[in-house]
Amino acid sequence: MNTKYILIGIAVSAVVTFALRALPFVIFNGKRQMPEMLVKLGKVLPATIMAVLIVYCLKGAVAAPVATGIPSLVGVLVTGGTYKWRHNTLLSILLGTVSYMVMLRLV
């Protein structure tokens, strides 16, 4: 494959990604009011996404409770507990991941 086509593909992907992320700021630049539906969605969607991610992480816990269930549950509890304690997203993700990996090695 030609390197030129790969670089063009990467450039097009970068422009489209940037345009899609900049679009809301262009449309709602302070002069227009956001629709009520988007305001409600902005309040509800983060918690909904987190719930879906937790269910996805724990889906293997039923099939293999000792091999993957216990480490996954410990990782989720450590992540949630650390966030509740320190309100630091990066620290809670880091400690939850480390605890999950340690539990995988121990169990």
Side-chain angles (χ1 to χ4, degrees):
M1 190 166 230
N2 195 348
T3 306
K4 178 181 171 183
Y5 291 121
I6 294 173
L7 293 176
I8 290 171
I10 292 171
V12 168
S13 297
V15 168
V16 168
T17 300
F18 178 77
L20 288 174
R21 292 180 187 232
L23 187 64
F25 295 103
V26 172
I27 293 174
F28 303 108
N29 60 355
K31 297 175 186 145
R32 289 183 58 187
Q33 188 70 14
M34 283 183 61
E36 187 63 30
M37 182 190 72
L38 287 180
V39 173
K40 288 180 183 177
L41 195 60
K43 291 178 182 175
V44 174
L45 203 54
T48 306
I49 291 171
M50 289 306 296
V52 168
L53 288 173
I54 290 170
V55 169
Y56 178 76
C57 287
L58 296 176
K59 73 178 187 309
V62 175
V66 175
T68 60
I70 293 172
S72 296
L73 187 60
V74 169
V76 167
L77 291 175
V78 168
T79 303
T82 305
Y83 184 77
K84 192 77 170 159
W85 172 50
R86 301 296 287 170
H87 295 283
N88 186 332
T89 306
L90 183 61
L91 179 66
S92 62
I93 291 172
L94 178 69
L95 290 179
T97 303
V98 168
S99 66
Y100 173 72
M101 292 303 194
V102 167
M103 289 299 294
L104 276 180
R105 299 290 178 228
L106 293 178
V107 174

